[in-house]
Coordinates of all heavy atoms in Angstrom, one line a residue:
M1 N 0.9 -1.2 -0.1 CA 0.1 -0.1 0.0 C 0.9 1.2 0.0 O 1.9 1.3 0.7 CB -0.9 0.0 1.3 CG -1.9 1.1 1.3 SD -3.0 0.8 2.6 CE -4.4 1.8 2.1
Y2 N 0.5 2.2 -0.8 CA 1.3 3.5 -0.9 C 0.3 4.6 -0.9 O -0.9 4.5 -1.1 CB 2.2 3.5 -2.1 CG 1.5 3.5 -3.4 CD1 1.2 4.8 -4.0 CD2 1.0 2.3 -4.0 CE1 0.5 4.8 -5.2 CE2 0.3 2.4 -5.2 CZ 0.2 3.6 -5.9 OH -0.5 3.6 -7.0
A3 N 0.8 5.8 -0.7 CA 0.1 7.0 -0.7 C 0.9 8.1 -1.2 O 2.1 8.1 -1.2 CB -0.4 7.4 0.7
V4 N 0.1 9.2 -1.7 CA 0.8 10.4 -2.2 C 0.3 11.5 -1.2 O -0.8 11.7 -1.1 CB 0.4 10.7 -3.6 CG1 1.0 12.1 -4.1 CG2 0.9 9.6 -4.6
I5 N 1.3 12.1 -0.5 CA 0.9 13.1 0.4 C 1.5 14.5 0.0 O 2.3 14.5 -0.9 CB 1.5 12.8 1.9 CG1 3.0 12.7 1.8 CG2 0.9 11.5 2.4 CD1 3.7 12.6 3.2
E6 N 0.9 15.5 0.6 CA 1.4 16.9 0.2 C 1.8 17.6 1.4 O 1.1 17.7 2.5 CB 0.2 17.7 -0.5 CG 0.6 19.0 -0.9 CD -0.6 19.8 -1.5 OE1 -1.4 19.1 -2.4 OE2 -0.7 20.9 -1.3
T7 N 3.0 18.1 1.4 CA 3.5 18.9 2.6 C 4.6 19.8 2.1 O 5.4 19.5 1.1 CB 4.1 17.9 3.7 OG1 4.5 18.8 4.8 CG2 5.2 17.1 3.2
G8 N 4.7 21.0 2.6 CA 5.7 22.0 2.2 C 5.6 22.4 0.8 O 6.5 22.8 0.2
G9 N 4.4 22.3 0.2 CA 4.2 22.7 -1.2 C 4.7 21.6 -2.3 O 4.7 21.9 -3.5
K10 N 5.0 20.5 -1.8 CA 5.5 19.4 -2.7 C 4.7 18.1 -2.4 O 4.1 18.0 -1.3 CB 7.1 19.1 -2.3 CG 7.8 20.3 -2.6 CD 9.3 19.9 -2.2 CE 10.2 21.2 -2.6 NZ 10.2 22.2 -1.5
Q11 N 4.7 17.3 -3.3 CA 4.0 15.9 -3.2 C 5.1 14.8 -3.1 O 6.1 14.8 -3.8 CB 3.1 15.7 -4.4 CG 1.9 16.7 -4.4 CD 0.9 16.4 -5.5 OE1 1.2 15.5 -6.4 NE2 -0.2 17.1 -5.5
Y12 N 4.8 13.8 -2.2 CA 5.8 12.7 -2.0 C 4.9 11.4 -2.1 O 3.9 11.3 -1.5 CB 6.4 12.8 -0.6 CG 7.2 14.1 -0.4 CD1 6.6 15.1 0.1 CD2 8.5 14.1 -0.8 CE1 7.3 16.3 0.4 CE2 9.2 15.3 -0.6 CZ 8.6 16.4 0.0 OH 9.4 17.5 0.2
Q13 N 5.5 10.4 -2.8 CA 4.9 9.1 -2.8 C 5.6 8.3 -1.7 O 6.8 8.2 -1.6 CB 5.1 8.4 -4.1 CG 4.5 7.0 -4.1 CD 4.7 6.3 -5.4 OE1 4.9 6.9 -6.5 NE2 4.7 4.9 -5.4
V14 N 4.8 7.8 -0.8 CA 5.4 7.1 0.4 C 4.8 5.7 0.6 O 3.6 5.4 0.2 CB 5.1 7.9 1.7 CG1 5.9 9.2 1.6 CG2 3.7 8.1 1.9
N15 N 5.6 4.8 1.2 CA 5.2 3.5 1.6 C 5.5 3.4 3.1 O 6.2 4.2 3.6 CB 6.0 2.4 0.9 CG 5.8 2.4 -0.6 OD1 4.6 2.5 -1.1 ND2 6.8 2.2 -1.4
E16 N 4.9 2.4 3.7 CA 5.2 2.2 5.1 C 6.7 1.8 5.3 O 7.1 0.9 4.5 CB 4.3 1.1 5.7 CG 2.8 1.6 5.8 CD 1.9 0.5 6.5 OE1 2.4 -0.5 7.0 OE2 0.7 0.7 6.4
G17 N 7.3 2.4 6.2 CA 8.8 2.1 6.5 C 9.7 3.1 5.7 O 10.9 3.0 5.9
D18 N 9.2 3.9 4.9 CA 10.1 4.9 4.1 C 10.5 5.9 5.0 O 9.9 6.3 6.0 CB 9.3 5.4 2.9 CG 9.2 4.5 1.8 OD1 9.7 3.5 1.8 OD2 8.4 4.9 0.8
E19 N 11.7 6.4 4.6 CA 12.2 7.7 5.3 C 12.4 8.7 4.3 O 13.0 8.5 3.2 CB 13.6 7.4 6.0 CG 13.5 6.5 7.2 CD 14.8 6.4 8.0 OE1 15.9 6.8 7.4 OE2 14.8 5.8 9.1
I20 N 11.6 9.9 4.5 CA 11.6 10.9 3.5 C 12.2 12.2 4.1 O 12.1 12.4 5.3 CB 10.2 11.2 3.0 CG1 9.3 11.5 4.0 CG2 9.8 10.0 2.2 CD1 7.9 11.9 3.5
F21 N 12.7 13.1 3.2 CA 13.2 14.4 3.6 C 12.2 15.4 3.2 O 11.9 15.5 1.9 CB 14.6 14.7 3.1 CG 15.6 13.8 3.6 CD1 16.0 12.6 3.0 CD2 16.3 14.2 4.7 CE1 17.0 11.9 3.4 CE2 17.3 13.4 5.2 CZ 17.7 12.2 4.6
V22 N 11.5 16.2 4.1 CA 10.5 17.1 3.7 C 11.0 18.5 4.2 O 12.0 18.7 5.0 CB 9.2 16.8 4.4 CG1 8.7 15.4 3.8 CG2 9.2 16.8 5.9
E23 N 10.3 19.5 3.8 CA 10.6 20.9 4.2 C 10.4 20.9 5.8 O 9.6 20.2 6.3 CB 9.7 21.9 3.6 CG 9.8 22.0 2.1 CD 11.2 22.6 1.7 OE1 11.7 23.6 2.4 OE2 11.8 22.2 0.7
K24 N 11.2 21.8 6.4 CA 11.2 21.7 7.9 C 9.8 21.9 8.4 O 9.2 22.8 8.2 CB 12.2 22.8 8.4 CG 12.3 22.7 9.9 CD 13.3 23.7 10.5 CE 13.5 23.6 11.9 NZ 14.4 24.4 12.5
L25 N 9.5 21.0 9.4 CA 8.2 21.1 10.2 C 8.5 21.9 11.4 O 9.6 22.0 11.9 CB 7.8 19.6 10.5 CG 7.6 18.7 9.3 CD1 7.4 17.3 9.7 CD2 6.5 19.2 8.4
G26 N 7.4 22.3 12.0 CA 7.5 23.2 13.2 C 7.6 22.5 14.5 O 7.2 23.0 15.5
Q27 N 8.2 21.3 14.6 CA 8.3 20.6 15.8 C 9.7 19.9 16.0 O 10.4 19.7 15.0 CB 7.2 19.6 15.9 CG 7.3 18.5 15.0 CD 6.0 17.6 15.1 OE1 4.9 18.1 15.2 NE2 6.1 16.3 15.0
E28 N 10.1 19.6 17.1 CA 11.4 19.1 17.4 C 11.5 17.6 17.4 O 12.5 16.9 17.0 CB 12.0 19.6 18.7 CG 12.3 21.1 18.8 CD 13.1 21.5 17.7 OE1 14.3 20.9 17.5 OE2 13.0 22.5 16.9
S29 N 10.4 16.9 17.9 CA 10.4 15.4 18.0 C 8.9 15.0 18.1 O 7.9 15.8 18.3 CB 11.1 14.9 19.2 OG 10.6 15.3 20.4
G30 N 8.7 13.7 18.0 CA 7.3 13.2 18.2 C 6.6 12.7 17.0 O 7.4 12.4 15.9
E31 N 5.3 12.5 17.0 CA 4.5 11.9 16.0 C 4.2 13.1 14.9 O 3.8 14.1 15.3 CB 3.4 11.2 16.5 CG 2.6 10.5 15.4 CD 1.4 9.7 16.0 OE1 0.5 10.4 16.5 OE2 1.4 8.5 16.0
V32 N 4.2 12.7 13.7 CA 3.7 13.6 12.6 C 2.5 13.0 11.9 O 2.7 11.9 11.5 CB 4.9 13.9 11.6 CG1 4.5 14.8 10.5 CG2 6.2 14.4 12.3
V33 N 1.5 13.8 11.7 CA 0.3 13.4 11.0 C 0.1 14.2 9.7 O 0.0 15.3 9.8 CB -0.9 13.4 11.9 CG1 -2.1 12.9 11.1 CG2 -0.8 12.6 13.1
F34 N 0.2 13.6 8.6 CA -0.1 14.2 7.3 C -1.6 14.0 6.9 O -1.9 12.8 6.7 CB 0.8 13.7 6.2 CG 2.2 13.8 6.5 CD1 3.1 12.8 6.9 CD2 2.9 15.2 6.4 CE1 4.4 13.0 7.2 CE2 4.2 15.4 6.7 CZ 4.9 14.3 7.1
D35 N -2.4 14.9 6.9 CA -3.8 14.8 6.6 C -4.2 15.2 5.0 O -5.3 14.9 4.6 CB -4.8 15.4 7.6 CG -4.5 16.9 7.6 OD1 -3.5 17.4 7.0 OD2 -5.3 17.7 8.2
K36 N -3.2 15.7 4.4 CA -3.4 16.1 3.0 C -2.9 15.0 2.1 O -1.8 14.9 1.6 CB -2.5 17.4 2.6 CG -3.2 18.6 3.4 CD -2.4 19.8 3.0 CE -3.0 21.1 3.6 NZ -2.2 22.3 3.1
V37 N -3.8 13.9 2.0 CA -3.4 12.8 1.3 C -4.1 12.9 -0.1 O -5.4 12.9 -0.3 CB -3.9 11.5 2.0 CG1 -3.6 10.3 1.1 CG2 -3.3 11.4 3.3
V38 N -3.4 12.9 -1.2 CA -3.8 13.1 -2.5 C -4.3 11.8 -3.1 O -5.4 11.9 -3.8 CB -2.8 13.8 -3.4 CG1 -3.3 14.0 -4.8 CG2 -2.3 15.1 -2.8
M39 N -3.6 10.7 -2.9 CA -4.1 9.5 -3.5 C -3.6 8.3 -2.5 O -2.6 8.4 -1.9 CB -3.3 9.3 -4.8 CG -3.7 8.1 -5.6 SD -2.8 7.9 -7.1 CE -1.7 6.7 -6.6
I40 N -4.4 7.2 -2.6 CA -4.0 6.0 -1.9 C -4.1 4.9 -2.9 O -5.2 4.8 -3.6 CB -4.9 5.8 -0.7 CG1 -4.6 6.7 0.4 CG2 -4.7 4.3 -0.1 CD1 -5.4 6.6 1.7
G41 N -3.1 4.1 -3.1 CA -3.1 3.0 -4.0 C -2.6 1.7 -3.4 O -2.0 1.7 -2.3
G42 N -2.6 0.7 -4.2 CA -2.1 -0.6 -3.7 C -3.2 -1.6 -3.6 O -4.4 -1.2 -3.4
G43 N -2.9 -2.8 -3.8 CA -4.0 -3.9 -3.8 C -4.8 -3.7 -5.1 O -4.3 -3.5 -6.2
D44 N -6.2 -3.8 -5.0 CA -7.1 -3.7 -6.1 C -7.8 -2.4 -6.3 O -8.4 -2.1 -7.3 CB -8.0 -4.9 -6.1 CG -8.8 -4.9 -4.8 OD1 -8.5 -4.2 -3.9 OD2 -9.8 -5.7 -4.6
A45 N -7.7 -1.6 -5.2 CA -8.5 -0.4 -5.3 C -7.6 0.9 -5.1 O -6.5 0.8 -4.4 CB -9.5 -0.3 -4.0
T46 N -7.9 1.9 -5.9 CA -7.1 3.1 -5.8 C -8.1 4.3 -5.6 O -9.2 4.3 -6.2 CB -6.4 3.4 -7.1 OG1 -5.5 2.3 -7.4 CG2 -5.5 4.7 -7.2
Q47 N -7.7 5.1 -4.5 CA -8.7 6.2 -4.3 C -7.9 7.6 -4.7 O -6.8 7.7 -4.2 CB -9.0 6.2 -2.8 CG -9.8 5.1 -2.3 CD -10.1 5.1 -0.8 OE1 -9.5 6.0 0.0 NE2 -10.8 4.2 -0.3
F48 N -8.7 8.4 -5.3 CA -8.1 9.7 -5.7 C -9.0 10.8 -4.9 O -10.1 10.6 -4.8 CB -8.2 10.0 -7.2 CG -7.4 9.1 -8.0 CD1 -7.9 8.0 -8.5 CD2 -6.0 9.4 -8.2 CE1 -7.1 7.1 -9.3 CE2 -5.2 8.6 -8.9 CZ -5.8 7.4 -9.5
G49 N -8.3 11.8 -4.5 CA -9.1 12.9 -3.8 C -9.3 14.1 -4.7 O -8.8 14.2 -5.8
M50 N -10.3 14.8 -4.3 CA -10.7 16.0 -5.0 C -10.8 17.2 -4.0 O -11.9 17.5 -3.6 CB -12.1 15.8 -5.7 CG -12.1 14.8 -6.7 SD -11.6 15.4 -8.2 CE -11.9 14.0 -9.2
P51 N -9.8 17.8 -3.6 CA -8.4 17.6 -3.9 C -7.7 16.5 -3.0 O -6.6 16.0 -3.3 CB -7.7 18.9 -3.6 CG -8.6 19.6 -2.6 CD -9.9 19.0 -2.8
Y52 N -8.4 16.2 -1.8 CA -7.7 15.2 -0.9 C -8.7 14.1 -0.6 O -9.9 14.3 -0.6 CB -7.3 15.9 0.5 CG -6.4 17.2 0.3 CD1 -6.8 18.4 0.6 CD2 -5.2 17.0 -0.4 CE1 -6.0 19.5 0.4 CE2 -4.3 18.1 -0.5 CZ -4.7 19.3 -0.2 OH -3.9 20.4 -0.4
V53 N -8.1 13.0 -0.2 CA -9.0 11.8 0.2 C -9.6 12.0 1.5 O -8.8 12.3 2.5 CB -8.2 10.5 0.1 CG1 -9.0 9.3 0.6 CG2 -7.5 10.3 -1.3
K54 N -10.9 12.0 1.7 CA -11.5 12.3 3.0 C -11.2 11.1 3.9 O -11.4 9.9 3.7 CB -13.0 12.5 2.8 CG -13.4 13.7 2.0 CD -14.9 13.9 1.9 CE -15.2 15.1 1.2 NZ -16.5 15.6 1.1
G55 N -10.9 11.5 5.2 CA -10.7 10.6 6.2 C -9.4 9.8 6.2 O -9.1 9.0 7.0
A56 N -8.5 10.1 5.2 CA -7.3 9.4 5.0 C -6.1 10.2 5.7 O -6.0 11.4 5.7 CB -6.9 9.2 3.6
T57 N -5.3 9.4 6.5 CA -4.1 10.1 7.1 C -2.9 9.2 6.9 O -3.0 8.0 6.8 CB -4.4 10.3 8.7 OG1 -4.6 9.0 9.3 CG2 -5.5 11.2 8.9
V58 N -1.7 9.8 7.0 CA -0.4 9.1 7.0 C 0.3 9.6 8.2 O 0.4 10.8 8.5 CB 0.3 9.4 5.8 CG1 1.7 8.8 5.8 CG2 -0.4 8.9 4.5
T59 N 0.6 8.6 9.1 CA 1.4 9.0 10.3 C 2.8 8.6 10.3 O 3.2 7.5 9.5 CB 0.7 8.3 11.5 OG1 0.8 6.9 11.4 CG2 -0.7 8.8 11.7
G60 N 3.7 9.3 10.9 CA 5.1 9.0 10.9 C 5.8 9.6 12.2 O 5.1 10.3 12.9
S61 N 7.0 9.3 12.3 CA 7.7 9.9 13.5 C 8.9 10.7 13.0 O 9.5 10.3 12.0 CB 8.2 8.7 14.4 OG 9.1 7.9 13.7
L62 N 9.0 11.8 13.6 CA 10.2 12.7 13.3 C 11.5 12.2 13.7 O 11.6 11.9 15.0 CB 9.8 14.1 13.9 CG 10.9 15.2 13.5 CD1 10.7 15.5 12.0 CD2 10.6 16.5 14.2
V63 N 12.4 11.9 12.8 CA 13.7 11.4 13.1 C 14.7 12.4 13.5 O 15.3 12.3 14.6 CB 14.3 10.5 12.0 CG1 15.6 10.0 12.3 CG2 13.3 9.4 11.6
K64 N 14.8 13.4 12.7 CA 15.7 14.6 13.0 C 15.4 15.8 12.2 O 14.8 15.7 11.1 CB 17.1 14.1 12.9 CG 17.6 14.0 11.5 CD 19.1 13.7 11.4 CE 19.6 13.8 9.9 NZ 20.9 13.8 9.7
N65 N 15.8 16.9 12.6 CA 15.8 18.2 11.8 C 17.2 18.4 11.5 O 18.2 18.2 12.4 CB 15.2 19.3 12.6 CG 13.7 19.1 12.8 OD1 13.0 18.8 11.9 ND2 13.2 19.6 14.0
G66 N 17.5 19.0 10.3 CA 18.9 19.4 9.9 C 18.9 20.3 8.9 O 17.9 20.9 8.5
K67 N 20.1 20.5 8.3 CA 20.3 21.4 7.1 C 21.0 20.7 6.0 O 21.8 19.9 6.3 CB 21.1 22.7 7.5 CG 20.4 23.6 8.5 CD 21.3 24.8 8.6 CE 20.6 25.8 9.5 NZ 21.4 27.0 9.8
A68 N 20.6 21.0 4.8 CA 21.2 20.4 3.6 C 22.6 20.9 3.3 O 23.0 21.8 4.1 CB 20.3 20.5 2.4
K69 N 23.3 20.4 2.4 CA 24.6 20.9 2.1 C 24.5 22.3 1.6 O 23.5 22.7 1.0 CB 25.3 20.1 1.0 CG 25.6 18.7 1.4 CD 26.4 18.0 0.3 CE 27.0 16.6 0.8 NZ 27.8 16.0 -0.2
K70 N 25.5 23.1 1.8 CA 25.6 24.4 1.4 C 25.7 24.6 -0.1 O 26.5 23.9 -0.7 CB 26.7 25.2 2.0 CG 26.8 26.6 1.7 CD 27.9 27.3 2.4 CE 27.5 27.8 3.8 NZ 28.4 28.7 4.5
I71 N 24.9 25.5 -0.6 CA 25.1 25.9 -2.1 C 25.6 27.3 -2.1 O 25.4 28.1 -1.2 CB 23.7 25.8 -2.9 CG1 22.7 26.7 -2.3 CG2 23.2 24.4 -2.9 CD1 21.6 27.0 -3.2
T72 N 26.4 27.6 -3.1 CA 26.9 29.0 -3.2 C 26.3 29.8 -4.4 O 26.1 29.2 -5.4 CB 28.5 28.9 -3.6 OG1 29.2 28.1 -2.5 CG2 29.1 30.1 -3.7
V73 N 25.8 30.9 -4.0 CA 25.2 31.8 -5.0 C 26.1 33.0 -5.3 O 26.4 33.7 -4.3 CB 23.8 32.3 -4.5 CG1 23.2 33.2 -5.5 CG2 23.0 31.1 -4.0
F74 N 26.5 33.0 -6.5 CA 27.5 34.1 -6.9 C 26.9 35.0 -7.9 O 26.5 34.5 -9.0 CB 28.8 33.5 -7.3 CG 29.9 34.5 -7.6 CD1 30.5 35.2 -6.5 CD2 30.3 34.9 -8.9 CE1 31.6 36.1 -6.8 CE2 31.2 35.9 -9.1 CZ 31.9 36.4 -8.1
T75 N 26.8 36.2 -7.7 CA 26.2 37.1 -8.8 C 27.2 38.3 -9.0 O 28.0 38.7 -8.1 CB 24.9 37.8 -8.3 OG1 25.1 38.6 -7.1 CG2 23.8 36.8 -8.0
Y76 N 27.3 38.7 -10.2 CA 28.2 39.8 -10.6 C 27.6 40.6 -11.8 O 26.8 40.1 -12.5 CB 29.7 39.2 -10.9 CG 29.7 38.6 -12.2 CD1 30.2 39.3 -13.4 CD2 29.3 37.3 -12.4 CE1 30.3 38.6 -14.5 CE2 29.4 36.7 -13.6 CZ 29.9 37.3 -14.7 OH 30.1 36.7 -15.8
K77 N 28.2 41.8 -11.9 CA 27.8 42.6 -13.1 C 29.0 42.9 -13.8 O 30.0 43.5 -13.3 CB 27.1 43.9 -12.7 CG 25.8 43.6 -11.9 CD 24.9 44.8 -11.7 CE 23.8 44.4 -11.0 NZ 22.6 45.0 -11.3
P78 N 29.2 42.5 -15.1 CA 30.4 42.6 -15.8 C 30.8 44.0 -16.0 O 29.9 44.9 -16.2 CB 30.1 41.9 -17.2 CG 28.7 41.8 -17.2 CD 28.1 41.7 -15.9
K79 N 32.0 44.3 -15.9 CA 32.7 45.7 -16.2 C 32.3 46.8 -15.2 O 32.6 47.9 -15.4 CB 32.2 46.2 -17.7 CG 32.6 45.3 -18.7 CD 32.2 45.8 -20.0 CE 32.1 44.6 -21.0 NZ 31.2 44.9 -22.2
K80 N 31.6 46.3 -14.1 CA 31.2 47.3 -13.1 C 31.9 47.1 -11.7 O 31.7 47.9 -10.8 CB 29.7 47.2 -12.9 CG 28.9 47.4 -14.1 CD 29.0 48.9 -14.6 CE 28.1 49.0 -15.8 NZ 28.5 50.2 -16.6
G81 N 32.5 45.9 -11.6 CA 33.2 45.7 -10.3 C 32.3 45.3 -9.2 O 32.6 45.4 -8.0
V82 N 31.1 44.8 -9.5 CA 30.0 44.5 -8.5 C 30.0 42.9 -8.4 O 29.8 42.3 -9.5 CB 28.6 45.1 -8.9 CG1 27.6 44.6 -7.8 CG2 28.7 46.5 -9.0
K83 N 30.3 42.5 -7.3 CA 30.3 41.1 -7.0 C 29.7 40.7 -5.7 O 29.8 41.5 -4.7 CB 31.7 40.4 -7.0 CG 32.4 40.5 -8.4 CD 33.8 40.1 -8.2 CE 34.5 40.4 -9.6 NZ 36.0 40.0 -9.4
R84 N 29.0 39.6 -5.6 CA 28.3 39.3 -4.3 C 28.3 37.8 -4.3 O 27.9 37.1 -5.1 CB 26.9 39.8 -4.2 CG 26.2 39.5 -2.9 CD 24.9 40.2 -2.8 NE 24.0 39.6 -3.8 CZ 22.7 39.7 -3.7 NH1 22.1 40.5 -2.8 NH2 21.8 39.2 -4.6
K85 N 28.8 37.2 -3.1 CA 28.8 35.8 -2.9 C 28.0 35.5 -1.7 O 28.4 36.0 -0.6 CB 30.3 35.3 -2.7 CG 30.4 33.8 -2.5 CD 32.0 33.5 -2.5 CE 32.1 31.9 -2.3 NZ 33.5 31.5 -2.2
L86 N 27.1 34.6 -1.8 CA 26.3 34.2 -0.7 C 26.2 32.6 -0.6 O 26.4 31.9 -1.6 CB 24.8 34.7 -0.9 CG 24.5 36.2 -1.0 CD1 23.1 36.4 -1.4 CD2 24.8 36.8 0.4
G87 N 25.9 32.2 0.6 CA 25.8 30.7 0.8 C 24.3 30.5 1.4 O 23.8 31.3 2.0
H88 N 23.7 29.3 1.2 CA 22.5 28.9 1.7 C 22.4 27.4 2.0 O 22.9 26.6 1.3 CB 21.4 29.2 0.6 CG 20.0 28.8 1.0 ND1 19.4 29.5 2.0 CD2 19.3 27.8 0.7 CE1 18.2 28.9 2.2 NE2 18.1 27.9 1.4
R89 N 21.9 27.2 3.2 CA 21.6 25.8 3.7 C 20.1 25.6 4.0 O 19.6 26.3 4.8 CB 22.4 25.5 4.9 CG 23.9 25.5 4.6 CD 24.7 25.0 5.8 NE 24.4 23.6 6.1 CZ 24.9 23.0 7.2 NH1 25.5 23.7 8.1 NH2 24.6 21.8 7.4
Q90 N 19.4 24.8 3.1 CA 18.0 24.6 3.3 C 17.7 23.7 4.5 O 18.2 22.6 4.6 CB 17.5 24.0 2.0 CG 16.0 23.9 2.0 CD 15.2 25.1 1.9 OE1 15.8 26.2 1.4 NE2 14.0 25.2 2.4
P91 N 16.9 24.1 5.5 CA 16.6 23.3 6.6 C 15.5 22.2 6.1 O 14.7 22.4 5.2 CB 15.9 24.2 7.5 CG 15.4 25.3 6.7 CD 16.3 25.5 5.6
Y92 N 15.6 21.0 6.8 CA 14.8 19.9 6.4 C 14.4 19.1 7.7 O 15.0 19.2 8.7 CB 15.4 19.0 5.4 CG 16.6 18.2 5.9 CD1 16.4 17.0 6.6 CD2 17.9 18.7 5.7 CE1 17.5 16.3 7.1 CE2 19.0 18.0 6.2 CZ 18.8 16.8 6.9 OH 19.9 16.1 7.4
S93 N 13.4 18.3 7.5 CA 13.0 17.3 8.6 C 13.0 15.9 7.9 O 12.5 15.7 6.8 CB 11.7 17.6 9.1 OG 11.5 18.9 9.8
K94 N 13.5 15.0 8.7 CA 13.6 13.5 8.2 C 12.5 12.8 8.9 O 12.5 12.9 10.2 CB 14.9 13.0 8.4 CG 15.1 11.6 7.9 CD 16.5 11.0 8.2 CE 16.7 9.7 7.6 NZ 18.0 9.1 7.9
V95 N 11.5 12.2 8.1 CA 10.4 11.6 8.7 C 10.4 10.1 8.3 O 10.6 9.8 7.1 CB 9.1 12.2 8.3 CG1 7.8 11.6 8.9 CG2 9.1 13.7 8.7
K96 N 10.1 9.2 9.3 CA 9.9 7.8 9.1 C 8.5 7.4 9.0 O 7.7 7.7 10.0 CB 10.6 6.9 10.0 CG 10.5 5.5 9.8 CD 11.4 4.7 10.6 CE 11.1 3.2 10.5 NZ 11.7 2.6 9.4
I97 N 7.9 7.0 7.9 CA 6.5 6.7 7.7 C 6.2 5.4 8.4 O 6.8 4.4 8.2 CB 6.1 6.6 6.2 CG1 6.5 7.9 5.4 CG2 4.7 6.3 6.0 CD1 5.8 9.1 5.9
E98 N 5.1 5.5 9.2 CA 4.8 4.3 10.1 C 3.5 3.6 9.6 O 3.4 2.4 9.6 CB 4.7 4.7 11.5 CG 6.1 5.1 12.1 CD 6.0 5.5 13.5 OE1 4.9 5.8 14.0 OE2 7.1 5.7 14.2
A99 N 2.4 4.4 9.3 CA 1.2 3.9 9.0 C 0.4 4.8 8.0 O 0.5 5.9 7.9 CB 0.3 3.8 10.2
I100 N -0.4 4.1 7.1 CA -1.2 4.7 6.2 C -2.6 4.1 6.4 O -2.9 3.0 6.4 CB -0.8 4.3 4.6 CG1 0.6 4.8 4.4 CG2 -1.8 4.9 3.6 CD1 1.2 4.3 3.0
K101 N -3.6 5.2 6.7 CA -4.9 4.8 7.1 C -5.8 5.4 6.1 O -5.8 6.6 5.8 CB -5.3 5.3 8.5 CG -4.4 4.7 9.6 CD -4.6 5.3 10.9 CE -3.6 4.8 11.9 NZ -3.6 5.7 13.1
A102 N -6.7 4.6 5.5 CA -7.6 5.0 4.4 C -8.9 5.3 5.1 O -9.7 4.6 5.4 CB -7.7 4.0 3.4

């Protein structure tokens, strides 16, 4: 059984036991419940939501919060001597999917 959930403006296909990296959630530890389930599939029946499947939830546990690798953003204007170098590390949350309830 699998589900497609929506969180942080993105959609993720998840199975039970998967570990996914999502946009940072507003908590430090504990259980996470995703109620924006777009689709549930597997077996012989598939349910699609309009826009979400009613009564469906995906539960998981928050493993850790962290930051991704640093990316370097370098901008310049030729012949003007204007240069700017910035770095960015995107925060994320690692979630282990435990149950899919339709």
